[in-house]
Amino acid sequence: MRTVTLNNGVEIPQIGFGTYRSTESSSEVMNTAIKAGYRFFDTASFYNNEEDLGHALQNSGIPRKDFFLTSKCWRTEMGYDNAIRSFENSLERLQTDYLDLYLIHWPRPNLSDPEWKKVSIDTWKALEYLYHCKKVRAIGISNFMVHHMENLLSEANIVPAVNQIEFHPGYMQKEVVEYCRTHNMQVEAWSPLGCARLFENKLLLSLAAQYKVSVAQICLRFAVQEHVIPLPKSSSFNRMKQNQEVFDFTIEARDMQLLEDMPLTGWSGEHPDRERVKKP
Ligand code: A2P
């Protein structure tokens, strides 16, 4: 399995399996994903599927050390003590005694809290404590924009290993990615396929035809070439397999440029400082 090395030396697989909204029949989806070869699973307390994932991992008979498990501290679980409790609850639901990666899910507990900067830092201090206790191999953040990261880094002793953000052609968050690169934080992509909103895009369809792959594979290969770790979701074995088959072709520089220059397309409407835009 191809891996990338995080800023603390931990190796992380180059592609992970996203589990958001796989609550219905989620254990079946997780079992299938394991059979399809995924070993890196991205979950969160908010997804309400950690127990199912824990069962699937146990039932697989594959040693725990062969998996790379990420979970996240939800908005209502922020603050020092709450974050530690939230982490312990995730461990219990996942039937494990450590995580490979633990993230702060969103930078603010809610959109109106004037104390969000302090809450964000307190939560980070809890993650630093868990890291020092060796209960988690790497710690990071999710959905942080530049000003949220500046706040965190003003007090952090450990630089986050990862920032997981929405990233796909048509929504690259270039400033965030650039800031992460400068500070040696690995970017991970949620919704690397634009949650199926990109599948009719003309440029993507023409590149898919040109490289003789699917639009999904163009999106995933694009992430890989941008040094971003994609976390695609799928409910079908064949598409799960297909989404890992992105290492036998290379998108040429001029086509990468076309993808980088795409106008806003397929954005989920999620923003860390604003209410969700319903129809972006
Ligand atoms: P399905 O579960 O039927 O495979 P994202 O990860 O960006 O949020 O996108 C997930 C969506 O993309 C799901 O609706 C999933 O549907 C679909 N999808 C995942 N992989 C592929 C693929 N290789 N081809 C087409 N659709 C895909």
Side-chain angles (χ1 to χ4, degrees), residues 104-239:
I104 304 180
H105 207 143
W106 289 89
R108 294 167 177 261
N110 59 59
L111 296 186
S112 56
D113 189 343
E115 296 292 315
W116 74 265
K117 289 188 172 179
K118 180 175 175 334
V119 179
S120 193
I121 289 168
D122 287 350
T123 310
W124 186 248
K125 293 288 161 191
L127 268 60
E128 289 186 340
Y129 167 77
L130 293 165
Y131 180 74
H132 285 307
C133 295
K134 299 200 183 328
K135 287 174 174 258
V136 56
R137 297 174 65 224
I139 51 176
I141 52 184
S142 180
N143 300 302
F144 276 54
M145 300 180 80
V146 170
H147 70 109
H148 307 121
M149 291 189 273
E150 282 170 346
N151 171 59
L152 201 78
L153 290 183
S154 71
E155 299 277 342
N157 292 316
I158 300 175
V159 175
V162 161
N163 187 11
Q164 183 184 126
I165 58 171
E166 180 176 355
F167 175 98
H168 49 75
Y171 195 67
M172 290 183 63
Q173 305 205 56
K174 286 181 186 169
E175 273 182 27
V176 176
V177 172
E178 189 50 41
Y179 188 90
C180 289
R181 276 193 194 133
T182 309
H183 291 83
N184 202 13
M185 297 179 216
Q186 174 65 48
V187 176
E188 291 182 345
W190 61 260
S191 264
L193 312 176
C195 217
R197 286 180 292 268
L198 297 172
F199 292 151
E200 301 304 318
N201 179 272
K202 283 199 176 111
L203 171 63
L204 287 163
L205 284 166
S206 79
L207 291 177
Q210 182 184 324
Y211 288 94
K212 298 189 174 50
V213 294
S214 68
V215 168
Q217 286 170 312
I218 290 288
C219 293
L220 296 168
R221 180 70 207 180
F222 172 71
V224 167
Q225 287 184 219
E226 293 284 343
H227 306 288
V228 169
I229 295 178
L231 307 168
K233 304 189 281 288
S234 180
S235 51
S236 118
F237 179 81
N238 286 340
R239 289 191 287 278

Side-chain angles (χ1 to χ4, degrees), residues 78-96:
M78 291 175 78
Y80 192 90
D81 292 338
N82 281 348
I84 290 177
R85 211 170 303 123
S86 158
F87 175 85
E88 297 292 348
N89 289 338
S90 286
L91 286 190
E92 202 175 310
R93 287 189 291 263
L94 287 161
Q95 300 183 52
T96 184

